[in-house]
């Protein structure tokens, strides 16, 4: 129990404040409210997004400048200043710290952290992307934009060489009369909001997770990640700016533009399970016992998070305060004044700025500056499709529906499965084997056509008597 309490006390809140010519990020303990570090740099206009990379690096993108500032969380001096193709409006890192995704306008850039290589540039939004989130298993990431669209991306397909180099799928024909395209880059595209999406929360459980999106249209949408089904639509009395959910996905917390924080007990609406679409409205007084309201902030709530044990809620807002609430009683436990209006927040669970000697050192590889041009993998270079230095990409978790994840991929070329794998999930020798198999079949078909044509000419034209 003492060890669990130590882990809870290690929860740190990183809040990014804006205003003036200085960008300031304050790290304070959730348990005590004491300030541990203050990171700052000269950046007029403030930051747009703050994110923790692994347990060592703190990243912050700027609203008005095309840079990402990086700090070692144990030092207050800037560790690295990364130039980007444009102003990064949203930022997210994979759970293991291997990949970093940043949104520049309508485009999403995906970098490899250890090398800085730009692995993919994708775009299916019509207006700037405002928020990015990774799933807890690292197989997918989710983007929400000002076009009111929410897109779930397959990380394995995005990093596939076939999509990166050409932007189109590569046809593959395991049978003589079938051509099956590669898997899509996206798993789901949700267009249920009518105004810009402001925040996204992805729960735990990989593909079994629940995804909540909030928008300025005063609604929160609850989805099932695996099927993409809309489970619930919740209507509030003000525009929504932030969202969070406890680890058990029982309680939903939504922050509004007026400073109110609404609590929704999801399983009270569907006692058996949240398994069907419902529409629920909430009035300005808090309504019935099915939902409650936390009152204390006076301006828009810009960040919400639930602590490790699930009994406390932390919130930051544009009123320059960070507050900690008791979820059961909905009472404010403490309020921490900050050095300006807060633009974003990140809750780091189990992170200590002054780790004890028993803590193992981080195994995060060195952080490299991000490149601005696409990098071609060793697979493409081996086939003469790229130049310069290259290396194989790190392993990416890929969820393959209908295929045993422990099966030998080399056996898929002989099975009539009507299915194609992304190029980065198959060894280059296996890909070459698939191509040889396809060419051999095409040559066999051509020989058969030639034999039948030769027989027709001999039987019908040469041997036929002339009248």
């Amino acid at each position: 129990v003492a060890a669990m309490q130590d882990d809870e006390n290690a929860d740190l809140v990183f809040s990014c404040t804006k205003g003036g010519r200085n960008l300031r990020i304050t790290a304070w303990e959730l348990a005590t409210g004491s300030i541990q570090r203050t990171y700052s740099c000269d950046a007029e206009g403030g930051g747009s997004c703050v994110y923790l990379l692994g347990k060592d690096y703190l990243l912050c993108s700027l609203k008005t400048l095309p840079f990402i500032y990086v700090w070692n969380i144990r030092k207050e001096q800037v560790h690295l200043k990364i130039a980007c193709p444009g102003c990064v409006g949203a930022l997210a890192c994979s759970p293991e710290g291997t990949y970093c995704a940043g949104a520049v306008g309508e485009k999403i850039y995906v970098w490899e952290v250890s090398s800085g290589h730009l692995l993919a540039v994708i775009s299916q939004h019509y207006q700037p992307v405002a928020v990015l989130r990774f799933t807890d298993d690292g197989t997918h990431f989710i983007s929400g934009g000002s076009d009111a669209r929410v897109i779930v991306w397959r990380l394995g397909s995005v990093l596939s060489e076939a999509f990166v180099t050409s932007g189109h799928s590569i046809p593959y024909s395991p049978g003589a009369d079938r051509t099956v395209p590669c898997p899509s880059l996206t798993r789901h595209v949700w267009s249920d909001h009518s105004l810009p999406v402001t925040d996204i929360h992805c729960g735990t459980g990989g593909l079994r997770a629940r995804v909540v999106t909030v928008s300025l249209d005063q609604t929160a949408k609850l989805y099932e990640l695996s099927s993409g089904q809309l489970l619930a639509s919740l209507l509030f009395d003000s525009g929504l700016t932030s969202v969070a959910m406890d680890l058990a996905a029982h309680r939903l917390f939504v922050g509004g533009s007026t400073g109110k924080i609404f609590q929704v007990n999801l399983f009270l609406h569907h006692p058996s399970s949240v398994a069907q679409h419902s529409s629920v409205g909430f009035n300005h007084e808090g309504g019935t016992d099915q939902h409650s309201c936390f009152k204390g902030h006076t301006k828009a709530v810009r960040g919400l998070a639930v602590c490790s044990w699930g009994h406390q809620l932390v919130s930051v807002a544009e009123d320059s305060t960070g507050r900690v609430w008791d979820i059961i009683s909905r009472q404010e436990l403490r309020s921490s004044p900050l050095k300006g209006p807060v633009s974003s927040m990140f809750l780091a669970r189990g992170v200590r700025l002054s780790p004890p000697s028993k803590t193992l050192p981080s195994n995060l590889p060195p952080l490299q500056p991000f490149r601005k041009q696409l990098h071609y993998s060793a697979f493409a270079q081996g086939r003469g499709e790229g130049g310069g230095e290259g290396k194989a990409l790190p392993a990416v978790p890929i969820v393959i529906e209908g295929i045993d994840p422990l099966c030998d991929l080399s056996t898929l070329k002989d099975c009539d499965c009507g299915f194609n794998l992304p190029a980065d999930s198959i060894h280059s020798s296996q890909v070459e084997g698939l191509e040889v198999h396809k060419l051999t079949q095409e040559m066999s078909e051509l020989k058969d056509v030639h034999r039948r044509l030769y027989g027709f000419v001999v039987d019908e034209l040469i041997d036929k008597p002339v009248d």
Side-chain angles (χ1 to χ4, degrees):
V1 174
M4 296 178 66
Q5 291 177 347
D6 289 341
D7 290 339
E8 180 188 7
N9 293 335
D11 286 357
L12 286 178
V13 180
F14 295 88
S15 56
C16 179
T17 57
K18 59 183 179 180
R21 296 187 56 86
N22 291 328
L23 168 69
R24 181 178 288 104
I25 301 176
T26 305
W28 46 284
E29 285 189 355
L30 178 62
T32 63
S34 61
I35 296 178
Q36 300 295 309
R37 296 284 192 280
T38 299
Y39 313 92
S40 62
C41 64
D42 293 333
E44 187 174 357
S48 61
C49 185
V50 61
Y51 215 92
L52 191 66
L53 176 62
K55 293 187 177 181
D56 293 271
Y57 295 111
L58 182 66
L59 278 62
C60 183
S61 59
L62 306 181
K63 286 186 176 181
T64 58
L65 296 175
F67 296 104
I68 295 178
Y69 281 89
V70 183
W71 292 267
N72 183 330
I73 64 171
R74 294 168 182 84
K75 298 180 180 179
E76 297 184 349
Q77 296 78 19
V78 175
H79 176 77
L80 187 63
K81 182 180 179 181
I82 301 176
C84 299
C87 297
V88 179
L91 194 67
C93 302
S94 60
E96 72 282 358
T98 304
Y99 301 101
C100 178
V104 179
E106 301 85 4
K107 297 181 180 180
I108 301 175
Y109 293 73
V110 181
W111 290 280
E112 183 187 20
V113 172
S114 59
S115 64
H117 290 149
L118 177 60
L119 304 180
V121 180
I122 53 179
S123 177
Q124 285 195 17
H125 285 276
Y126 304 113
Q127 294 185 29
V129 177
V131 57
L132 289 171
R133 295 288 184 268
F134 271 87
T135 58
D136 64 341
D137 60 357
T139 60
H140 296 75
F141 63 95
I142 308 170
S143 62
S146 299
D147 56 0
R149 286 157 52 95
V150 178
I151 301 177
V152 181
W153 303 87
R154 304 173 189 262
L155 181 60
S157 296
V158 168
L159 300 182
S160 174
E161 187 67 29
F163 293 99
V164 172
T165 56
S166 64
H168 299 83
S169 61
I170 297 178
Y172 164 55
S173 175
D177 58 351
R178 183 181 303 175
T179 301
V180 181
C182 286
S184 171
L185 289 179
T186 62
R187 186 178 188 91
H188 305 297
V189 178
W190 297 319
S191 304
D192 300 303
H193 288 292
S194 58
L195 289 177
V197 176
T198 54
D199 199 10
I200 298 173
H201 177 84
C202 184
T204 59
L207 285 179
R208 296 182 177 88
R210 299 288 192 264
V211 177
V212 185
T213 64
V214 294
S215 169
L216 295 179
D217 62 5
Q218 305 183 8
T219 64
K221 309 289 185 180
L222 176 65
Y223 298 94
E224 185 179 51
L225 182 58
S226 58
S227 65
Q229 180 184 3
L230 177 63
L231 302 179
S233 178
L234 309 176
L235 177 63
F236 297 85
D237 63 353
S238 63
L240 306 180
T241 55
S242 58
V243 63
M245 192 163 50
D246 61 2
L247 295 178
H250 287 177
R251 298 184 179 93
L252 175 66
F253 304 94
V254 180
S257 58
T258 60
K260 296 178 182 178
I261 303 174
F262 298 94
Q263 175 183 333
V264 182
N265 296 323
L266 297 175
F267 282 82
L268 290 182
H269 296 300
H270 303 288
S272 58
S273 64
V274 183
Q276 59 183 351
H277 172 226
S278 65
S279 181
V280 183
F282 297 90
N283 57 43
H284 65 281
E285 295 296 336
T288 66
D289 293 336
Q290 291 182 345
H291 54 277
S292 308
C293 185
F294 298 80
K295 296 182 180 179
H297 290 294
T298 58
K299 294 184 179 180
V301 180
R302 291 300 176 186
L304 290 172
V306 180
C307 72
S308 300
W309 275 29
H311 67 287
Q312 291 182 356
L313 175 71
V314 58
S315 63
V316 294
E318 291 185 353
D319 59 3
S320 305
T321 61
R323 301 172 188 267
V324 180
W325 313 79
D326 181 75
I327 293 178
I328 302 300
S329 64
R330 298 186 298 279
Q331 297 296 316
E332 181 181 324
L333 300 180
R334 67 187 65 88
S335 177
S336 301
L338 302 174
K339 299 294 184 179
V342 181
S343 59
S344 62
M345 180 199 75
F346 185 86
L347 176 64
R349 296 182 173 90
V351 175
R352 294 178 181 274
L353 296 182
S354 301
S357 58
K358 64 180 181 180
T359 303
L360 296 176
S362 171
N363 57 358
L364 187 70
L367 180 66
Q368 299 294 329
F370 295 159
R371 309 283 178 86
K372 295 183 180 180
Q373 295 182 348
L374 281 173
H375 172 74
Y376 294 90
S377 68
F379 168 73
Q381 294 173 5
R383 299 181 58 189
E385 298 178 3
E389 265 182 41
K391 67 183 186 64
L393 300 180
V396 179
I398 299 177
V399 178
I400 304 174
E401 299 177 357
I403 299 295
D404 183 2
L406 300 179
C407 70
D408 185 5
L409 295 178
S410 62
T411 62
L412 293 180
K413 66 182 180 65
D414 296 324
C415 69
D416 188 15
C417 57
F419 171 80
N420 183 32
L421 291 173
D424 66 344
S425 64
I426 309 177
H427 193 272
S428 60
S429 62
Q430 296 173 336
V431 173
E432 293 173 357
L434 295 176
E435 293 180 349
V436 170
H437 180 71
K438 177 182 176 181
L439 293 175
T440 302
Q441 285 187 335
E442 292 179 352
M443 184 174 294
S444 177
E445 292 176 1
L446 291 176
K447 287 182 178 179
D448 182 70
V449 171
H450 182 271
R451 180 184 56 78
R452 288 188 283 111
L453 179 61
Y454 178 82
F456 172 81
V457 172
V458 171
D459 296 338
E460 299 296 330
L461 299 180
I462 298 179
D463 294 339
K464 187 174 182 180
V466 179
D467 294 337

